[in-house]
Amino acid sequence: MPSDAHQLMPDGSVKDVSLGDLAVEDKVLIKPGEKIPTDGVIVEGESSVNEAMLTGESTPVTKKTGGKVIGGAINGEGSLTIEIKSTGKNSFLAQVIDLVKQAQESKSKTQNLADTAALWLTLIALGSGALTLVTWLVFMNHEFAFAIERAVTVMVITCPHALGLAVPLVVAVSTALAAKNGLLIRSRIAFEGARKLQAIIFDKTGTLTEGRFGVSDTLVLSQDIDEETLRKYAASVEASSEHPIAKAVTAALEKKLPVENFKSIPGKGAEGRVEGKEVKVVSPGYLREQNIDFTDTRVEPLQAQGKTVVFVLVDGKLKGAIALADIVRPEANQAIDARKALNIRCLMLTGDNQATAKWVSDQVGLDEYFAEVLPQDKAAKVKEVQSRGVLVAMIGDGVNDAPALAQADVGIAIGAGSDVAVETADVILVRSNPLDVVAVVQLSRATYRKMVQNLFWATGYNVVAIPLAAGALYAWGVLLSPALGAVLMSACTVIVAINARMLRLNK
């Protein structure tokens, strides 16, 4: 974080102040190449912002007026004026640090097992030391100095130092590794349970899809026009409209043509003159009103999939149709395939109708879906899947997903979603990429393997070391001194530490 910021004063002047002096709704100037001092919203300017430190994405993100910026990110080539929305402990970066701390401090089931084992090993060390002393004194008739040396060696070599560190070291490394890869762990127990997941339920809107309309199909219904011209006409007319469908049609094409005499047709569409032609982009209802026949074998299947279809008229004649749907995330198919490779069933919950749910399900290759599910019923659906005897994860981003996230064995929130969903979840995906759920499962499995390996080293070492320290091989001239016992004990601890540091996330 920068040490100070350029605050814009009411009289228009700029004053350098420390971050602690900034308050919500203050305005701050960020010059090219500077770090953004705190979270806020851009009120003036345009630039590219490097958020790699926060999200892991190396490509700078274009930011315009109204866009949100995060403290700690690096401004690019333009100057920005932002209005501060959060400072100090309420900032995004501070919350990330808090989540990482909570995850590192939270105890896991494996840690509890290691603590119990360490307690027993302490008792075994003391008991073995006492038994060794008595054995050499009473039964082997050796002098006290020799017997006490054997007892001390046993207690030194049996010190549960490595066992006590076996799990915490892996926890610390895995939490840091997760954060670097855009995975914030809020519950260690739930995260460790992710290795045994058998089913993952996705919320549709905002998770598998982007939550916004996009052009999915373009149909040319007349031979005297091509698809590119049809889309160009439609995008040019819709560019002047604020309707969500109009924005989706416009966004599908970068280059637009000049439009004259633009008019909105309330509830039906829009019209305008493009290249001397009267172009209308209208709903099926408008065609029915004007008695224009639009029966085409290609249109009905699109409507049956739950897509919104608009029609393009040129000089009063029907020339084509454009179908729009909630855009499926590009990485969704890859995410589903990766989960199936891990033998995890993939399901979807949505409030949309059956046709839309089936279309999305077919697009990404889901095993099962639940359509027309009301927000208050989502948790019940999760419970229904759990009743099949499987361990379930729920992935969502909205306020209405929070109860389902809480009900699931592992709740995973899309980082760009609502605060309520994020607060309820066990794991947060900072990059809002459903593919990162695979990383959660893989890291959970890798972390568990490392814990088991470390526990094996820490306990297995003692099985060999205790008899050796007690003098089991004395008859063959093998005898360990307390100093050598300390070296072996330390060596075991070093091995455990190195093994923990070798934890990797293979994507």
Side-chain angles (χ1 to χ4, degrees):
M1 298 294 287
S3 56
D4 53 22
H6 313 303
Q7 183 179 357
L8 289 176
M9 309 308 290
D11 61 1
S13 62
V14 178
K15 181 183 178 183
D16 286 351
V17 298
S18 66
L19 296 192
D21 294 333
L22 294 176
V24 175
E25 296 186 356
D26 282 350
K27 288 185 173 59
V28 174
L29 173 67
I30 304 154
K31 298 176 183 178
E34 291 185 336
K35 283 187 179 180
I36 295 169
T38 188
D39 302 353
V41 174
I42 299 171
V43 294
E44 187 180 333
E46 182 177 343
S47 183
S48 58
V49 177
N50 186 343
E51 298 180 339
M53 183 269 289
L54 304 162
T55 65
E57 292 295 335
S58 57
T59 307
V61 182
T62 301
K63 300 285 185 178
K64 300 179 180 179
T65 302
K68 295 180 179 179
V69 291
I70 302 169
I74 302 171
N75 185 26
E77 68 286 349
S79 290
L80 298 174
T81 301
I82 69 167
E83 182 179 303
I84 295 173
K85 293 298 179 184
S86 58
T87 60
K89 292 183 179 179
N90 295 321
S91 69
F92 175 84
L93 191 58
Q95 289 174 11
V96 169
I97 292 168
D98 257 359
L99 289 174
V100 174
K101 283 182 178 177
Q102 288 171 23
Q104 288 184 324
E105 290 168 1
S106 64
K107 288 261 184 173
S108 67
K109 287 182 179 178
T110 317
Q111 176 63 55
N112 292 334
L113 172 64
D115 288 347
T116 303
L119 171 63
W120 279 104
L121 189 57
T122 303
L123 299 176
I124 290 170
L126 296 172
S128 299
L131 182 62
T132 301
L133 179 65
V134 171
T135 301
W136 284 107
L137 276 177
V138 178
F139 299 104
M140 306 300 290
N141 294 317
H142 271 266
E143 64 271 16
F144 180 77
F146 180 88
I148 195 66
E149 187 177 1
R150 301 286 69 73
V152 169
T153 304
V154 167
M155 288 189 284
V156 167
I157 212 166
T158 318
C159 173
H161 190 231
L163 189 57
L165 286 175
V167 173
L169 284 173
V170 177
V171 168
V173 173
S174 70
T175 305
L177 188 60
K180 282 183 181 179
N181 286 274
L183 316 172
L184 298 183
I185 302 167
R186 299 187 73 243
S187 168
R188 289 295 319 176
I189 294 175
F191 168 70
E192 288 171 20
R195 75 181 192 279
K196 297 185 288 186
L197 283 178
Q198 296 162 286
I200 296 179
I201 303 175
F202 295 88
D203 169 56
K204 180 185 83 71
T205 307
T207 304
L208 288 177
T209 67
E210 295 184 5
R212 62 182 180 88
F213 271 119
V215 173
S216 61
D217 305 87
T218 304
L219 303 179
V220 177
L221 305 177
S222 177
Q223 295 182 350
D224 59 354
I225 193 170
D226 58 65
E227 182 178 325
E228 185 180 351
T229 304
L230 181 76
R231 294 178 69 171
K232 194 179 293 182
Y233 281 174
S236 300
V237 171
E238 295 284 47
S240 300
S241 175
E242 290 299 314
H243 194 280
I245 291 177
K247 288 182 178 180
V249 174
T250 304
L253 204 68
E254 288 186 9
K255 294 182 179 179
K256 317 290 189 304
L257 299 171
V259 178
E260 300 173 349
N261 303 327
F262 172 81
K263 291 179 185 176
S264 177
I265 307 172
K268 300 292 189 301
E271 62 179 321
R273 181 174 286 276
V274 183
E275 294 186 331
K277 296 181 174 63
E278 290 293 336
V279 178
K280 294 181 180 179
V281 183
V282 295
S283 67
Y286 179 87
L287 297 188
R288 283 192 290 267
E289 282 183 5
Q290 301 298 318
N291 295 317
I292 299 173
D293 180 36
F294 64 95
T295 53
D296 188 285
T297 55
R298 293 174 294 169
V299 174
E300 284 188 11
L302 296 176
Q303 293 174 322
Q305 291 170 1
K307 297 181 181 180
T308 300
V309 181
V310 295
F311 296 88
V312 182
L313 302 174
V314 180
D315 290 334
K317 294 181 180 178
L318 183 61
K319 297 296 182 181
I322 296 174
L324 302 103
D326 191 358
I327 300 171
V328 175
R329 288 181 181 270
E331 61 273 16
N333 292 80
Q334 190 181 352
I336 299 300
D337 290 342
R339 285 167 187 74
K340 287 184 176 179
L342 296 172
N343 295 317
I344 299 174
R345 284 180 59 80
C346 298
L347 303 86
M348 179 181 73
L349 279 178
T350 178
D352 286 338
N353 57 49
Q354 287 283 346
T356 302
K358 185 178 186 306
W359 177 73
V360 174
S361 176
D362 293 341
Q363 287 288 304
V364 299
L366 295 170
D367 296 304
E368 191 178 346
Y369 64 88
F370 302 99
E372 300 176 12
V373 180
L374 297 174
Q376 62 269 27
D377 296 333
K378 285 189 173 183
K381 286 294 181 184
V382 173
K383 202 169 185 177
E384 180 185 318
V385 177
Q386 287 173 322
S387 68
R388 302 174 188 175
V390 297
L391 203 72
V392 178
M394 171 71 193
I395 306 172
D397 70 320
V399 173
N400 58 3
D401 297 321
L405 291 171
Q407 173 62 43
D409 298 291
V410 183
I412 302 174
I414 295 292
S418 68
D419 290 342
V420 176
V422 168
E423 285 298 318
T424 310
D426 301 307
V427 180
I428 300 160
L429 309 182
V430 175
R431 287 192 286 250
S432 303
N433 185 344
L435 188 58
D436 283 345
V437 180
V438 179
V440 173
V441 177
Q442 290 175 333
L443 184 58
S444 175
R445 292 180 179 181
T447 299
Y448 183 74
R449 281 197 300 271
K450 282 294 176 188
M451 287 180 176
V452 171
Q453 288 169 11
N454 274 4
L455 289 174
F456 171 79
W457 274 108
T459 54
Y461 145 85
N462 283 291
V463 172
V464 176
I466 291 175
L468 198 61
L473 299 181
Y474 175 67
W476 290 271
V478 178
L479 206 60
L480 299 182
S481 67
L484 187 55
V487 170
L488 291 176
M489 183 272 292
S490 299
C492 180
T493 304
V494 171
I495 290 171
V496 166
I498 292 173
N499 190 45
R501 291 294 299 171
M502 289 176 69
L503 178 64
R504 294 288 182 270
L505 175 56
N506 299 316
K507 291 187 176 182

